Amino acid sequence: MLNIVRDIHSLSSFKRNTSKFIQLMKETGQPVVLTVNGKAELVVQDAESYQKLLELLEQLETIAGISKGLEDVDAGRTRPVKEFEQEMQQKYGISS
């Protein structure tokens, strides 16, 4: 969870204290929000935490895809695999 006291800073402060901010991000695993003229403009995050975020996003997308597929099965929006294979073979000129 973002801590507004610890994790929101001005871009100029980040420039002056980059090493300190990098250490903070590595220790907390949290991103830092950088402001320009008092408005949030950038989010900076350490590479390891960003990688974890990407992996979590991929898992969520996989779960959403599986859920969609199960909804399609429940709603009868499916067809036999043999029918699909025949269609693909005809469409792409594949012989079996």
Side-chain angles (χ1 to χ4, degrees), residues 4 8 11 19 23 30 32-33 51-52 69 72 87 89 95-96:
I4 61 172
I8 300 178
L11 178 59
S19 297
Q23 186 62 38
Q30 295 297 312
V32 173
V33 177
Q51 183 64 44
K52 288 178 184 177
D72 287 344
E87 180 184 325
Q89 287 172 349
S95 58
S96 50

Side-chain angles (χ1 to χ4, degrees), residues 7 25 31 35 38 40 47 49-50 61 71-72 77-79 86:
D7 299 330
M25 288 183 284
T35 62
S49 296
Y50 183 70
E61 289 174 342
E71 287 173 13
D72 287 344
R77 293 185 299 261
T78 61
R79 58 188 168 153
Q86 289 173 351

